[in-house]
Amino acid sequence: MIKTIYRLVFVWLLCLPAWAGLAQEVQIELGPSQIGLNETFTIKVTLNNDKIKSYDQFPDIPGFQKQGISQSSSMNIINGQMSSSNSIIQYYKPARKGTYTLGDFEIVINGNGHRSPGKQITVADPVSSQSSGGNVFDPFAEFFGRTAEEPEFIELEDDAFFSVSVDKDEVFVGEGLTLNIAFYMSEQNQAPFQFYEPGRQLDAILKKIKPNGAWEENFNITNIEPEIVEINGKRWNRFKVFEATFFPFSEGKIDIPRVPWEMIKYRVAKNPTLFGSNRQEDFKTFYSNGKTITVKPLPPHPLKSEVAVGVYQVRENISNLEVQTGEGFNYNFAISGVGNINAINAPKRLPAANLNSFDPNVRQQINRGYGRVSGIKEFNYFITLNEAGEYNLKDYFQWIYFDPVRAVYDTLAPEAKISVTGESKVNQALSGQRLGGIYDRISTESNQFLNEEYKYYFTTAINLLLLSAVALLAVLIIKKK
C-alpha cells in the first residue's frame, strides 16, 4: 500500500510541470497572408492573466528584416473580478517582391515553449534593390610559399555614436516624456562592433538618469535588434537598449547627465590570411550628451491636482436609447488617447434627480510602441430612470482633463439622449430602498407611551450619593490634619 502511494506521488510530481505549462494561456497570432512593400508583417504573442517576464527571440523570415518590438497590456475589472493580458508584437519589413514561407516555429515564453504552424506570405508591388559593392579579397592569393609572421592589426574609422534622447525639452506636470537609450551605426560603417555586457552597463546608467517622482511605463526591451532610421537624410542602424515613457508628478527640472557606453571594437588584420585570427578585440567608450527637461506647472484650475493630462477623446456605447421607467440599461463611457491611461479616473457624476447608477465596471488597455503610450479606459454603468421624459446624459456625467498640446483644460461629456416612457416609478424606487436606522425598528418597537418619572427619582438619588461621598472625603481630610 505504501509503495502504491509513493508511485502515485512520483507520477504527480512528473506531471506537475506539464500542468503548469497548460495553465499558461498563450496565443500566437500571425499577420495577413498578403502584404505590400510599404506594409509590415507581424507576429503577436499574447499571455493571459500573467506578466511576460522573459521570451525567446522571434523567428527570422527569409526576405524580411526585423523592425523592432512593441508591447501592450490590458486589464478588465468586471463585478470586482480582475483579468489581464500582455502582448508582444514583432514587426517585419519585406525586402522584395515574392512569396516567402514562415516555417513552423517555437517561441519560449516564461520558460515554456509554444509552437505555431507558420504560413506563406506574399509580398506585392516590387521595388528595385541595390546590392552593396566592395573590394573582394582572394584568401589564396599568397597561400603557397608564405612564411609565418605576426599579423599587423589596424583600427578602422567608425561612423557610430551613443545617444540618450528625449522626445521633448519641456513638458507639463503629468505629460508623457519618452526616453530612449540606443547605439547607432550608419549603413556605411565598416568598423566591426559587438555589445559588451549591455545589461550591466544599462543598470548603471538607469541609476543615474531615471527621473525621480514620475510614473514609468517601460517598453521592456529584452532583445537588442537593429532597425533602420533616417537622421538628417542619412540612414542608420539603431540598436535600442532601453525605452520608457515617464509622467512627472511635480514641476521643476529633470537633469540627464552625460553617461558612458562601452563597446567591443575589433582591430582588423592589415593583410588577412586564411588561417589564424584576422581581428583583435579592443574597446571603445562612447559618451552621450547631457539633457535638461523643464517640467511646467499646470495652469490654475479648481481640479488642477486631480485631472489627467493627455490628448483624449470620448467613445460611447449604449444598449438602448428608448427605455421604460424603472427599466435598467447599460451605458459605456470610454476615454481613449495618448497619455497616462492608469491615471484616468471615472467621470464625475453631476447632481441631478431621477437617474440612478451604480459604481462602474472598469476595463483598460495600454499600448506601448512607436515612442508613445496610448490606450483606452472604459467605464460601464448600469442606469435606471424613474420618471418619463427626455434625458441628456451630459447633464449627469462629465470628465475634465488637461490637453498639453493646446495647453487648455477641456471637458468630455456624453452625447447620448435617452427617451423614457411609462408611469412614474419614484415612489416604488423609494419603497424598495432600505432606509436603515430608526426605520428598521418601527415594526418591532412598542407604540405604548412610557412613564419616565422614574428617571427623575433615579437622577436625584445619584446626586445625593455623590454629595455624601464628597462630604465624607472632606471630613476625613480635616481629621487627618
Side-chain angles (χ1 to χ4, degrees), residues 437-481:
I438 189 173
Y439 297 99
D440 288 345
R441 298 170 56 188
I442 290 177
S443 60
T444 58
E445 291 293 325
S446 173
N447 58 359
Q448 300 294 323
F449 289 106
L450 297 179
N451 185 359
E452 296 187 358
E453 289 185 359
Y454 73 92
K455 290 185 178 180
Y456 169 77
Y457 298 114
F458 181 76
T459 302
T460 302
I462 292 296
N463 291 333
L464 290 174
L465 287 174
L466 289 174
L467 290 173
S468 300
V470 171
L472 179 61
L473 181 61
V475 171
L476 293 176
I477 292 173
I478 293 173
K479 284 186 177 181
K480 187 174 181 180
K481 290 182 177 181

Side-chain angles (χ1 to χ4, degrees), residues 92-330:
Y92 297 83
K93 182 159 184 67
R96 61 187 64 87
K97 174 187 174 182
T99 300
Y100 303 93
T101 300
L102 169 61
D104 64 317
F105 63 93
E106 182 181 70
I107 187 167
V108 178
I109 304 294
N110 295 348
N112 296 311
H114 303 276
R115 298 200 65 82
S116 173
K119 70 188 310 181
Q120 276 198 338
I121 310 162
T122 301
V123 180
D125 299 327
V127 295
S128 60
S129 59
Q130 298 179 350
S131 59
S132 59
N135 297 327
V136 179
F137 173 75
D138 182 5
F140 295 98
E142 299 178 353
F143 178 74
F144 296 102
R146 172 178 293 222
T147 57
E149 59 181 13
E150 190 70 24
E152 179 185 355
F153 293 96
I154 60 173
E155 182 178 354
L156 299 178
E157 288 291 330
D158 60 73
D159 192 7
F161 66 93
F162 175 66
S163 171
V164 177
S165 62
V166 292
D167 62 338
K168 300 166 189 170
D169 292 328
E170 61 178 22
V171 295
F172 286 98
V173 172
E175 182 182 358
L177 172 73
T178 300
L179 185 146
N180 276 286
I181 303 177
F183 183 74
Y184 293 78
M185 287 192 301
S186 75
E187 287 190 330
Q188 291 77 33
N189 176 70
Q190 298 296 319
F193 282 103
Q194 183 175 323
F195 283 91
Y196 174 67
E197 297 183 354
R200 177 189 61 79
Q201 292 194 76
L202 181 60
D203 287 342
I205 289 175
L206 292 179
K207 290 177 182 178
K208 298 177 182 178
I209 69 172
K210 267 191 177 183
N212 296 320
W215 178 270
E216 178 183 349
E217 288 286 352
N218 196 318
F219 288 40
N220 295 322
I221 296 175
T222 57
N223 294 319
I224 302 176
E225 301 284 352
E227 56 180 333
I228 302 296
V229 296
E230 188 171 308
I231 303 175
N232 297 328
K234 186 175 180 179
R235 288 165 64 87
W236 298 80
N237 284 297
R238 179 172 64 184
F239 299 84
K240 282 186 186 179
V241 296
F242 179 81
E243 185 174 17
T245 298
F246 296 89
F247 301 89
F249 297 139
S250 57
E251 61 184 281
K253 299 284 186 180
I254 297 176
D255 293 316
I256 299 178
R258 185 171 180 259
V259 292
W261 182 263
E262 194 171 23
M263 295 287 291
I264 297 175
K265 182 181 179 182
Y266 292 98
R267 298 164 63 90
V268 299
K270 186 175 182 180
N271 299 306
T273 62
L274 181 63
F275 302 101
S277 175
N278 287 321
R279 65 181 188 175
Q280 185 181 63
E281 187 178 279
D282 200 357
F283 293 89
K284 180 173 181 178
T285 301
F286 296 84
Y287 289 88
S288 67
N289 295 323
K291 296 278 184 182
T292 299
I293 300 96
T294 302
V295 182
K296 303 179 292 185
L298 297 181
H301 190 276
L303 301 177
K304 172 182 175 180
S305 60
E306 302 176 19
V307 298
V309 178
V311 179
Y312 297 109
Q313 307 84 35
V314 63
R315 296 182 185 178
E316 292 180 274
N317 186 14
I318 190 166
S319 61
N320 202 342
L321 294 176
E322 296 183 358
V323 296
Q324 295 288 321
T325 52
E327 178 184 343
F329 62 93
N330 291 313

